[in-house]
Amino acid sequence: MDRAARHRRFWDRIAARYAARPLKNVAAYEAMLSDIAGHLHPDDHVLELGCGTGGTAIRLAPLVARWTGCDFSSAMIGIAQAKPAGDNLEFVVADVGQALASGPFNVICAINVLHLVDDLPGTLAQIHAHLPPDGRLIIKIWCFADVKWQIRVIFSTLAIFGLFPAIRNLRNCDVLDALHLAGFEIVTEKVFGDYPQNPYFVLRKAAPGG
């Protein structure tokens, strides 16, 4: 079984438990949603990568013209599609490349997902190429290499037994370098919650000559 298939199998297997799990920090999540909302406009077409079971999409889709939530886990998308949602919201099973090709989109969201991709610089380059000038990218990402080594050992051990997803051990400086290399400008950088290793960014694709 290749790496992508193992990832898909992991998320399909835990989808029901993931959907039933209560939020650990409701205040931090609500603050993040409020900040995202402040960067959205009524005419936006938004793509959410790794939308999971759709909670964020359902909350924010009423603020924009169209919201597409995608995930490569069919089990996650099945749960999302079963939830009541507005007519401007669609959930689809797709990987990053397939989802980007279904555009155009002028806003892309990726909340706690980009530390799971095999090639962060390559994925950011793909996203940048599909955004128009002044398009926005909104992300939250785990920098697991900045977490205490004891915790990293626990996560790595759990991953061996299929109890934790395969992750990339990124540092904050790795993320900043990758964003800069891809051609994004930081509009906002914040931390919601208790973990500075899980930063949130609002980014802008500069217009040519901008």
Side-chain angles (χ1 to χ4, degrees):
M1 186 184 300
D2 64 22
R3 184 179 176 86
R6 289 198 302 271
H7 283 188
R8 189 174 295 108
R9 184 176 178 181
F10 172 85
W11 291 107
D12 282 348
R13 187 178 72 248
I14 72 162
R17 295 200 310 273
Y18 180 90
R21 184 182 64 186
L23 287 171
K24 292 183 178 179
N25 191 331
V26 174
Y29 178 68
E30 293 293 336
M32 182 191 70
L33 289 186
S34 179
D35 196 89
I36 295 173
H39 293 279
L40 298 176
H41 309 301
D43 59 348
D44 283 337
H45 287 194
V46 181
L47 171 65
E48 184 184 359
L49 301 173
C51 68
T53 57
T56 296
I58 289 169
R59 289 286 299 277
L60 295 176
L63 304 178
V64 301
R66 179 166 62 90
W67 190 292
T68 300
C70 80
D71 202 290
F72 70 177
S73 166
S74 59
M76 290 282 191
I77 291 297
I79 293 171
Q81 290 173 335
K83 297 177 179 179
D87 293 339
N88 70 327
L89 173 57
E90 178 186 24
F91 291 112
V92 297
V93 179
D95 62 22
V96 173
Q98 293 167 334
L100 290 170
S102 69
F105 304 98
N106 65 307
V107 181
I108 294 175
C109 289
I111 306 302
N112 287 333
V113 65
L114 291 180
H115 53 272
L116 301 173
V117 302
D118 290 337
D119 179 9
L120 178 61
T123 300
L124 289 173
Q126 276 188 287
I127 292 170
H128 187 275
H130 282 83
L131 280 171
D134 290 325
R136 282 149 282 151
L137 171 62
I138 301 173
I139 71 172
K140 197 165 184 268
I141 185 168
W142 274 102
C143 302
F144 280 105
D146 293 330
V147 174
K148 292 180 180 180
W149 70 267
Q150 297 94 330
I151 297 176
R152 296 202 307 272
V153 168
I154 293 171
F155 288 158
S156 297
T157 303
L158 291 174
I160 290 172
F161 293 99
L163 301 175
F164 196 76
I167 56 174
R168 294 301 180 189
N169 279 313
L170 301 167
R171 299 169 296 169
N172 185 273
C173 61
D174 297 328
V175 174
L176 292 174
D177 287 347
L179 292 170
H180 176 73
L181 182 64
F184 288 104
E185 298 176 352
I186 296 175
V187 176
T188 297
E189 179 180 359
K190 297 181 179 181
V191 172
F192 295 108
D194 302 323
Y195 301 101
Q197 305 91 345
N198 188 205
Y200 160 95
F201 298 92
V202 178
L203 304 133
R204 169 181 171 267
K205 176 178 177 176

Coordinates of all heavy atoms in Angstrom, one line a residue, residues 9-67:
R9 N -6.6 5.6 4.3 CA -7.2 4.6 5.1 C -7.2 5.0 6.6 O -8.2 4.7 7.3 CB -6.3 3.3 5.0 CG -6.8 2.1 5.7 CD -6.0 0.9 5.5 NE -6.5 -0.3 6.2 CZ -5.9 -1.5 6.2 NH1 -4.8 -1.7 5.4 NH2 -6.4 -2.5 6.9
F10 N -6.2 5.7 7.0 CA -6.2 6.2 8.4 C -7.3 7.1 8.7 O -8.1 7.0 9.7 CB -4.8 6.9 8.7 CG -4.8 7.6 10.1 CD1 -4.5 6.9 11.2 CD2 -5.2 9.0 10.2 CE1 -4.5 7.6 12.4 CE2 -5.2 9.6 11.4 CZ -4.8 8.9 12.5
W11 N -7.5 8.1 7.8 CA -8.6 9.1 8.0 C -10.0 8.5 7.8 O -10.9 8.9 8.5 CB -8.4 10.3 7.2 CG -7.2 11.1 7.6 CD1 -5.9 11.2 6.9 CD2 -7.0 11.9 8.8 NE1 -5.1 12.0 7.6 CE2 -5.7 12.4 8.8 CE3 -7.9 12.2 9.8 CZ2 -5.2 13.3 9.8 CZ3 -7.4 13.0 10.8 CH2 -6.1 13.6 10.8
D12 N -10.1 7.6 6.9 CA -11.4 6.9 6.8 C -11.7 6.1 8.0 O -12.9 6.1 8.5 CB -11.3 5.9 5.6 CG -11.5 6.6 4.2 OD1 -11.8 7.8 4.2 OD2 -11.2 5.9 3.2
R13 N -10.7 5.5 8.6 CA -11.0 4.7 9.8 C -11.4 5.5 11.0 O -12.2 5.0 11.8 CB -9.7 3.9 10.1 CG -9.9 2.8 11.2 CD -8.6 2.0 11.5 NE -7.6 2.8 12.1 CZ -6.4 3.2 11.6 NH1 -6.2 2.8 10.3 NH2 -5.5 3.8 12.2
I14 N -10.8 6.7 11.2 CA -11.1 7.5 12.4 C -12.2 8.5 12.2 O -12.5 9.3 13.1 CB -9.8 8.2 12.9 CG1 -9.4 9.3 12.0 CG2 -8.7 7.2 13.1 CD1 -8.5 10.3 12.7
A15 N -12.8 8.6 11.0 CA -13.7 9.7 10.7 C -14.9 9.8 11.7 O -15.2 10.9 12.1 CB -14.3 9.5 9.2
A16 N -15.5 8.7 12.0 CA -16.6 8.7 13.0 C -16.2 9.2 14.3 O -16.9 10.1 14.9 CB -17.3 7.4 13.1
R17 N -15.0 8.8 14.8 CA -14.5 9.2 16.1 C -14.1 10.7 16.0 O -14.4 11.5 17.0 CB -13.3 8.4 16.5 CG -13.6 7.0 16.8 CD -12.6 6.3 17.7 NE -11.2 6.5 17.2 CZ -10.6 5.7 16.3 NH1 -11.3 4.7 15.8 NH2 -9.4 6.0 15.9
Y18 N -13.5 11.1 14.9 CA -13.1 12.5 14.7 C -14.4 13.4 14.8 O -14.4 14.5 15.4 CB -12.4 12.6 13.4 CG -12.0 14.0 13.0 CD1 -10.7 14.5 13.4 CD2 -12.8 14.9 12.3 CE1 -10.3 15.7 13.1 CE2 -12.4 16.2 12.0 CZ -11.1 16.6 12.4 OH -10.7 17.9 12.1
A19 N -15.4 13.0 14.1 CA -16.7 13.8 14.1 C -17.3 13.9 15.4 O -17.9 15.0 15.8 CB -17.7 13.2 13.1
A20 N -17.2 12.9 16.3 CA -17.8 12.9 17.6 C -17.0 13.6 18.7 O -17.4 13.9 19.7 CB -18.1 11.5 18.0
R21 N -15.7 13.9 18.3 CA -14.8 14.4 19.3 C -15.1 15.9 19.6 O -15.2 16.7 18.7 CB -13.3 14.3 18.8 CG -12.3 14.7 19.8 CD -10.9 14.6 19.1 NE -10.8 15.6 18.0 CZ -9.8 15.6 17.2 NH1 -8.8 14.7 17.3 NH2 -9.8 16.5 16.2
P22 N -15.3 16.2 20.9 CA -15.5 17.6 21.2 C -14.3 18.5 21.0 O -13.2 18.0 21.1 CB -15.9 17.6 22.7 CG -15.3 16.4 23.2 CD -15.3 15.4 22.1
L23 N -14.5 19.8 20.7 CA -13.4 20.7 20.6 C -12.7 20.9 21.9 O -13.3 21.0 22.9 CB -13.9 22.1 20.1 CG -14.4 22.2 18.7 CD1 -15.1 23.5 18.4 CD2 -13.2 22.0 17.7
K24 N -11.4 20.9 21.9 CA -10.6 21.0 23.1 C -10.6 22.4 23.6 O -10.5 22.7 24.8 CB -9.2 20.5 22.9 CG -9.1 19.0 22.7 CD -7.7 18.5 22.5 CE -7.6 17.0 22.4 NZ -6.2 16.5 22.2
N25 N -10.6 23.4 22.7 CA -10.6 24.8 23.1 C -11.6 25.6 22.2 O -11.2 26.1 21.2 CB -9.1 25.3 22.9 CG -8.9 26.7 23.5 OD1 -9.9 27.5 23.6 ND2 -7.7 27.0 24.0
V26 N -12.8 25.6 22.7 CA -13.9 26.3 21.9 C -13.6 27.8 21.7 O -13.8 28.3 20.6 CB -15.2 26.1 22.7 CG1 -16.3 26.9 21.9 CG2 -15.6 24.6 22.7
A27 N -13.0 28.4 22.7 CA -12.8 29.9 22.6 C -11.8 30.2 21.5 O -11.9 31.1 20.7 CB -12.3 30.4 24.0
A28 N -10.7 29.4 21.5 CA -9.7 29.6 20.5 C -10.2 29.3 19.1 O -9.9 30.0 18.1 CB -8.5 28.6 20.7
Y29 N -11.1 28.3 18.9 CA -11.7 28.0 17.6 C -12.6 29.1 17.2 O -12.5 29.5 16.0 CB -12.4 26.7 17.7 CG -13.1 26.2 16.4 CD1 -12.4 25.9 15.3 CD2 -14.5 26.2 16.4 CE1 -13.1 25.5 14.1 CE2 -15.2 25.9 15.2 CZ -14.4 25.5 14.1 OH -15.1 25.1 12.9
E30 N -13.4 29.6 18.1 CA -14.3 30.7 17.7 C -13.5 32.0 17.4 O -13.9 32.7 16.5 CB -15.3 31.0 18.9 CG -16.2 29.9 19.2 CD -17.2 29.7 18.1 OE1 -17.5 30.6 17.3 OE2 -17.8 28.5 17.9
A31 N -12.4 32.2 18.1 CA -11.6 33.4 17.7 C -11.0 33.2 16.4 O -10.9 34.2 15.6 CB -10.5 33.6 18.8
M32 N -10.6 32.0 16.0 CA -10.0 31.8 14.7 C -11.1 32.0 13.6 O -10.8 32.7 12.6 CB -9.4 30.4 14.6 CG -8.8 30.1 13.2 SD -8.4 28.3 13.0 CE -10.0 27.6 12.8
L33 N -12.3 31.4 13.8 CA -13.4 31.6 12.9 C -13.7 33.1 12.7 O -13.9 33.6 11.5 CB -14.6 30.9 13.3 CG -14.6 29.4 13.3 CD1 -16.0 28.8 13.6 CD2 -14.2 28.8 11.9
S34 N -13.7 33.9 13.8 CA -13.9 35.3 13.7 C -12.9 36.0 12.8 O -13.2 36.9 12.0 CB -14.0 35.9 15.1 OG -14.3 37.3 15.0
D35 N -11.6 35.6 13.0 CA -10.6 36.2 12.2 C -10.7 35.9 10.8 O -10.5 36.8 9.9 CB -9.2 35.8 12.8 CG -8.1 36.7 12.3 OD1 -7.8 37.7 13.0 OD2 -7.5 36.5 11.2
I36 N -10.9 34.6 10.5 CA -11.1 34.2 9.1 C -12.3 35.0 8.5 O -12.1 35.5 7.3 CB -11.4 32.7 8.9 CG1 -10.2 31.9 9.4 CG2 -11.7 32.3 7.5 CD1 -10.4 30.4 9.5
A37 N -13.4 35.1 9.2 CA -14.5 35.8 8.7 C -14.2 37.3 8.3 O -14.7 37.8 7.3 CB -15.6 35.8 9.7
G38 N -13.3 37.9 9.1 CA -12.9 39.2 8.8 C -12.1 39.4 7.5 O -11.9 40.5 7.0
H39 N -11.6 38.3 7.0 CA -10.8 38.3 5.7 C -11.6 37.8 4.5 O -11.0 37.6 3.4 CB -9.5 37.5 5.9 CG -8.6 38.1 6.9 ND1 -7.7 39.2 6.5 CD2 -8.3 37.9 8.2 CE1 -7.0 39.5 7.6 NE2 -7.4 38.7 8.6
L40 N -12.9 37.6 4.7 CA -13.7 37.1 3.6 C -14.7 38.2 3.1 O -15.0 39.1 3.9 CB -14.6 35.9 4.1 CG -13.8 34.6 4.6 CD1 -14.8 33.6 5.1 CD2 -12.9 34.1 3.4
H41 N -15.1 38.0 1.9 CA -16.0 39.0 1.2 C -17.1 38.3 0.6 O -17.0 37.1 0.2 CB -15.2 39.8 0.2 CG -14.0 40.4 0.7 ND1 -13.9 41.3 1.8 CD2 -12.7 40.3 0.3 CE1 -12.7 41.7 2.0 NE2 -11.9 41.1 1.1
P42 N -18.3 38.9 0.4 CA -19.5 38.3 -0.1 C -19.3 37.7 -1.5 O -20.0 36.7 -1.9 CB -20.5 39.4 -0.1 CG -20.1 40.3 0.9 CD -18.6 40.3 0.9
D43 N -18.4 38.2 -2.3 CA -18.2 37.7 -3.7 C -17.0 36.6 -3.8 O -16.7 36.2 -4.9 CB -17.9 38.8 -4.6 CG -16.7 39.6 -4.3 OD1 -16.2 39.5 -3.2 OD2 -16.3 40.5 -5.1
D44 N -16.5 36.2 -2.6 CA -15.4 35.2 -2.7 C -15.8 33.8 -3.1 O -16.9 33.4 -2.7 CB -14.7 35.1 -1.3 CG -13.8 36.3 -1.0 OD1 -13.4 37.0 -1.9 OD2 -13.6 36.6 0.3
H45 N -15.0 33.2 -3.8 CA -15.1 31.7 -4.1 C -14.0 31.0 -3.3 O -12.8 31.3 -3.6 CB -15.0 31.5 -5.6 CG -16.2 31.9 -6.4 ND1 -16.5 31.5 -7.6 CD2 -17.2 32.7 -6.0 CE1 -17.6 32.0 -8.1 NE2 -18.1 32.7 -7.1
V46 N -14.3 30.2 -2.3 CA -13.4 29.7 -1.4 C -13.2 28.2 -1.6 O -14.2 27.5 -1.8 CB -13.8 30.0 0.1 CG1 -12.8 29.4 1.1 CG2 -14.0 31.4 0.3
L47 N -12.0 27.7 -1.6 CA -11.7 26.3 -1.5 C -11.1 26.0 -0.2 O -10.1 26.6 0.2 CB -10.7 25.9 -2.6 CG -10.1 24.5 -2.6 CD1 -11.3 23.5 -2.8 CD2 -9.0 24.3 -3.6
E48 N -11.6 25.0 0.5 CA -11.0 24.6 1.8 C -10.4 23.2 1.6 O -11.1 22.2 1.3 CB -12.1 24.5 2.9 CG -11.5 24.1 4.2 CD -12.5 23.9 5.3 OE1 -13.7 24.1 5.1 OE2 -12.1 23.5 6.5
L49 N -9.1 23.1 1.7 CA -8.4 21.9 1.6 C -8.4 21.1 2.9 O -8.2 21.7 4.0 CB -6.9 22.1 1.2 CG -6.7 22.9 -0.1 CD1 -5.2 23.3 -0.3 CD2 -7.2 22.1 -1.3
G50 N -8.6 19.8 2.9 CA -8.7 19.1 4.1 C -9.8 19.5 5.0 O -9.6 19.7 6.2
C51 N -11.0 19.6 4.5 CA -12.1 20.1 5.2 C -12.7 19.2 6.3 O -13.5 19.6 7.1 CB -13.3 20.5 4.3 SG -14.1 19.1 3.5
G52 N -12.2 17.9 6.3 CA -12.7 17.0 7.3 C -14.2 16.8 7.3 O -14.8 16.5 6.2
T53 N -14.8 16.9 8.4 CA -16.3 16.6 8.5 C -17.1 17.9 8.3 O -18.3 17.9 8.5 CB -16.6 15.9 9.8 OG1 -16.2 16.7 10.9 CG2 -16.0 14.5 9.9
G54 N -16.5 19.0 7.9 CA -17.2 20.1 7.4 C -17.6 21.2 8.3 O -18.3 22.2 8.0
G55 N -17.2 21.1 9.6 CA -17.7 22.1 10.6 C -17.3 23.5 10.3 O -18.1 24.4 10.4
T56 N -16.1 23.7 9.9 CA -15.6 25.1 9.6 C -16.3 25.6 8.3 O -16.8 26.8 8.3 CB -14.1 25.1 9.4 OG1 -13.5 24.8 10.6 CG2 -13.6 26.5 8.9
A57 N -16.4 24.8 7.3 CA -17.1 25.2 6.1 C -18.5 25.6 6.3 O -19.0 26.7 5.8 CB -17.0 24.1 5.1
I58 N -19.3 24.9 7.1 CA -20.7 25.2 7.4 C -20.8 26.5 8.1 O -21.8 27.2 7.9 CB -21.3 24.0 8.1 CG1 -21.5 22.8 7.2 CG2 -22.7 24.4 8.7 CD1 -21.8 21.5 7.9
R59 N -19.9 26.8 9.0 CA -19.9 28.0 9.7 C -19.6 29.2 8.9 O -20.3 30.3 9.0 CB -19.0 28.0 10.9 CG -19.3 27.0 12.0 CD -20.5 27.6 12.9 NE -20.1 28.9 13.5 CZ -19.4 29.0 14.6 NH1 -19.0 27.9 15.3 NH2 -19.1 30.2 15.1
L60 N -18.7 29.1 7.9 CA -18.2 30.3 7.2 C -18.8 30.4 5.8 O -18.8 31.5 5.3 CB -16.7 30.2 7.1 CG -15.9 30.3 8.4 CD1 -14.4 30.1 8.2 CD2 -16.2 31.7 9.1
A61 N -19.4 29.4 5.2 CA -19.9 29.5 3.9 C -21.0 30.5 3.7 O -21.0 31.2 2.6 CB -20.5 28.1 3.4
P62 N -21.8 30.8 4.7 CA -22.8 31.9 4.5 C -22.2 33.3 4.2 O -23.0 34.2 3.8 CB -23.6 31.9 5.8 CG -23.5 30.5 6.3 CD -22.1 30.1 5.9
L63 N -21.0 33.4 4.5 CA -20.3 34.8 4.3 C -19.8 35.0 2.9 O -19.4 36.1 2.6 CB -19.2 34.9 5.3 CG -19.5 34.7 6.8 CD1 -18.2 34.8 7.6 CD2 -20.5 35.7 7.2
V64 N -19.8 34.0 2.0 CA -19.2 34.1 0.7 C -20.1 33.6 -0.4 O -21.2 33.1 -0.1 CB -17.9 33.3 0.7 CG1 -16.9 33.8 1.7 CG2 -18.1 31.8 0.8
A65 N -19.7 33.8 -1.6 CA -20.6 33.4 -2.8 C -20.6 31.9 -2.9 O -21.6 31.3 -3.2 CB -20.1 34.1 -4.0
R66 N -19.4 31.3 -2.8 CA -19.3 29.8 -3.0 C -18.2 29.3 -2.1 O -17.1 29.9 -2.0 CB -19.1 29.5 -4.4 CG -19.0 28.0 -4.7 CD -19.1 27.7 -6.2 NE -18.0 28.4 -7.0 CZ -16.8 27.8 -7.3 NH1 -16.6 26.6 -6.8 NH2 -15.9 28.4 -8.0
W67 N -18.5 28.1 -1.5 CA -17.5 27.5 -0.7 C -17.4 26.0 -1.1 O -18.4 25.3 -1.1 CB -17.8 27.6 0.8 CG -16.7 27.1 1.8 CD1 -16.3 25.9 2.0 CD2 -16.0 28.0 2.7 NE1 -15.3 25.8 2.9 CE2 -15.1 27.1 3.4 CE3 -16.0 29.3 2.9 CZ2 -14.2 27.6 4.3 CZ3 -15.1 29.8 3.9 CH2 -14.2 28.9 4.6

